[in-house]
Amino acid sequence: MSEAAENVAAQPAEGSIIDTRYWHALDDGRVQCDVCPRACKLRDGQRGLCFVRGAEAGRIKLFSYGRSSGFCVDPIEKKPLNHFLPGTSVLSFGTAGCNLACKFCQNWDMSKSREMDTLADSAGPEDLAQAAERLGCASIAFTYNDPVVFMEYAIDAAQAGRARGIKSVAVTAGYMCAEPRAEFYRHMDAANVDLKAFTERFYYKICGGALAPVLETLEYLKRETNVWFEITTLLIPGENDSDGELDQMTLWIVENLGPDVPLHFTAFHPDYKLRDKPHTPHATLIRAYDIARSCGLKHVYVGNVDDALRSSTYCAGCGERLIERTRYTISDSKIDHGGACVQCGAALTGVFDGAPGHWGTRRVPVRLGGFLSR
Ligand code: SF4
């Protein structure tokens, strides 16, 4: 048994500070968190970069268990996931804190929050599962900030969801160490992994992280799990959108993950600490789309723009438009209940359970406390 595995997590209670499992003691009296490659080395009273994990009483604790920055019912396509129970709704929630420091973060008010009052809403794992069921959601998504930093809470919520037939979705940057990663993904049904760029320079300079561990997570998901996953790359003008980089990235995906993994290119808007860059032109998304298709990827999408042609899903067998989409609205579907093309019978890669749903573009904020008391 590893040092980390010997650290037994205490039984969590809603809204409490809990013990965690993945850490070890250092010779100099500090403790090191082993959840992500940042490997924060902390003395009692100090918090890690994510701020929600920190050292107390010679152990690493999670300070945000059972607390959320808010809940919302979203279309699953917003995560984005286009091949996972299309057209269904998902109960989205996040906490606070993140283990990367992306200068372009589009959720920075939550991910960079150091104020626990950001976590105004609270709900235990069973509350979340019950709410998802009552709201008619097919899944729960751990999103807004990276669930890596609140993995214990996410795992407990996923287990409670599974017991009610609700699936779990991680929206993550994939910056995680091997041992906690294996535990985390045992409980997930789907993931959208941000592949922020394909250079170590970008990860180091813009995100304060590293590319290699993210690629390891993607390879791990492909080779060692049944988790359905899709990839998202936010294209930032002049930073990660050159032909050469897009060519290398999409070739790597084809060679290492296979041509069936869906890839989403989304448009950047100036935010947080990266306000000197322009919005991503639609033409850049089209160029990236064309490069990815020419490198062999079968399912490529553009996001944050109106582009029905490149937001729809096509049959890899006969080319038929199988799911016609504009942003998050499905206007037509030509797949059977198991996800096969009704024209040629080729199976569409993904997770399907009946005909696509009709949730559409609605985004419905939910106060769980009030909802569950009714
Ligand atoms: S999860 Fe948080 S505390 Fe742990 S190593 Fe990563 S940033 Fe540091």
Side-chain angles (χ1 to χ4, degrees), residues 131-153:
E133 187 175 49
R134 286 174 59 179
L135 289 162
C137 298
S139 53
I140 299 171
F142 311 109
T143 181
Y144 306 142
N145 66 321
D146 202 310
V148 164
V149 305
F150 62 94
M151 62 174 284
E152 294 82 359
Y153 182 24

Side-chain angles (χ1 to χ4, degrees), residues 104 202 206 234-241 266 268 274 277 280:
F104 54 87
F202 182 100
I206 309 280
L234 179 81
L235 293 175
I236 304 176
E239 291 291 350
N240 62 355
D241 65 341
T266 56
F268 162 85
L274 211 58
K277 296 282 175 190
T280 309

